[in-house]
């Protein structure tokens, strides 16, 4: 039997849990694979949804992986500021067969030096910040550039994971996983992108984010410089 694929998800405080749990549910069905949720300790990690998730492994337990996946969320900047977490991301990403992310997790990959010159996706509200890390922002649900596979915001993590499943196990396997999960989206409202939502709803969202994290982008620019990137958007 071939060696199981090792899949490592970075789990961190204030992660957007669907960024992680959506693709984790899909990738858990790759077959012959081991999936770990990795953080500094095995203590419960609070998510932005008001509940916590238990890590399955620590950084020391997972020095390498075949697939590295980094989700996003309001805890992204804190991860970028954390030398221990960034060293793990950079080290695992340097050797991984697939380096991946969902939502603003691509900013963590970028800050770790893993997206220089790569096209990448991100949540629409911070997609332009990828240029801080010499990455090329792309407006798409899933972006594939060589062995970098990155998803857009939150729910795009399911699309991303199905795409990656198809690349690893073939389209037939990915289609079977999609059917098993009954992934057949039919949203009740057409407001899932800035284009569809319109300027008024976009402005409402931006005001809410500004109230929750008023210095988020400025802090990220400062962190980019701290990580050796001098370019401003």
């Amino acid at each position: 039997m071939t060696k199981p694929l090792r899949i490592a998800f970075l789990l961190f405080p204030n992660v957007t849990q669907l960024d992680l749990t959506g693709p984790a549910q899909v990738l858990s069905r790759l077959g012959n694979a081991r999936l770990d949720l990795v953080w500094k300790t095995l203590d419960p990690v609070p998510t932005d949804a008001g509940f916590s998730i238990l890590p399955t492994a620590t950084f020391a337990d997972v020095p390498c992986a075949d697939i590295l996946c980094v989700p996003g969320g309001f805890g992204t900047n804190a991860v970028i500021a954390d030398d221990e977490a960034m060293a793990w991301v950079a080290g695992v990403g340097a050797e991984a067969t697939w380096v991946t992310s969902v939502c603003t997790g691509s900013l963590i990959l970028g800050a770790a030096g893993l997206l220089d010159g790569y096209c990448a996706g991100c949540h629409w509200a911070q997609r332009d910040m990828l240029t801080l890390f010499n990455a090329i922002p792309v407006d798409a649900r899933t972006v594939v550039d060589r062995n970098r596979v990155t998803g857009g915001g939150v729910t795009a993590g399911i699309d991303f994971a199905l795409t990656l499943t198809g690349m690893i196990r073939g389209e037939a396997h990915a289609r079977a996983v999609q059917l098993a999960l009954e992934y057949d989206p039919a949203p009740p409202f057409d407001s899932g992108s800035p284009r569809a939502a319109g300027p008024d709803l976009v402005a409402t969202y931006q005001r809410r984010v500004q109230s929750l994290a008023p210095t988020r982008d400025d802090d990220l620019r400062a962190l980019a410089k701290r990580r050796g990137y001098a370019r401003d958007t």
Side-chain angles (χ1 to χ4, degrees):
M1 189 175 190
T2 58
K3 183 180 178 181
L5 286 174
R6 187 146 200 187
I7 308 165
F9 278 81
L10 177 68
L11 174 62
F12 56 87
N14 288 318
V15 66
T16 294
Q17 62 83 22
L18 189 56
D19 286 4
L20 188 157
T21 55
Q25 184 66 62
V26 175
L27 296 179
S28 71
R29 301 188 182 209
L30 275 169
N32 194 29
R34 173 179 172 175
L35 190 152
D36 279 306
L37 310 182
V38 189
W39 186 234
K40 296 179 181 184
T41 72
L42 296 180
D43 296 332
V45 175
T47 73
D48 69 354
F51 59 82
S52 296
I53 296 176
L54 285 174
T56 64
T58 67
F59 293 153
D61 296 329
V62 186
C64 60
D66 299 291
I67 302 170
L68 169 66
C69 187
V70 179
F74 280 104
T76 297
N77 282 4
V79 173
I80 294 173
D82 188 315
D83 291 340
E84 183 182 0
M86 292 302 287
W88 181 82
V89 171
V92 174
E95 301 296 332
T97 303
W98 298 99
V99 177
T100 75
S101 66
V102 179
C103 198
T104 54
S106 57
L107 299 173
I108 295 174
L109 292 184
L114 297 171
L115 290 180
D116 280 12
Y118 286 88
C119 295
C122 191
H123 189 283
W124 63 266
Q126 283 198 295
R127 189 185 301 127
D128 62 331
M129 304 299 280
L130 283 166
T131 62
L132 288 170
F133 306 108
N134 299 331
I136 304 163
V138 177
D139 179 4
R141 296 278 289 180
T142 304
V143 181
V144 180
D145 187 347
R146 292 157 280 177
N147 74 329
R148 269 55 168 172
V149 188
T150 51
V154 192
T155 61
I158 297 174
D159 296 11
F160 141 78
L162 285 169
T163 300
L164 184 60
T165 296
M167 295 172 71
I168 294 172
R169 298 294 194 218
E171 184 176 323
H173 185 103
R175 282 179 173 272
V177 172
Q178 181 176 355
L179 176 61
L181 298 177
E182 198 176 352
Y183 181 54
D184 188 23
F189 311 110
D190 185 18
S191 59
S193 71
R195 289 184 297 274
D200 290 344
L201 193 54
V202 168
T204 298
Y205 169 85
Q206 290 172 329
R207 285 194 296 271
R208 179 175 181 274
V209 171
Q210 180 66 19
S211 68
L212 292 172
T215 64
R216 180 174 67 164
D217 287 355
D218 287 341
D219 291 345
L220 183 59
R221 292 185 181 95
L223 286 166
K225 290 180 179 178
R226 174 180 157 186
R227 294 290 170 195
Y229 292 92
R231 182 176 177 179
D232 292 321
T233 55

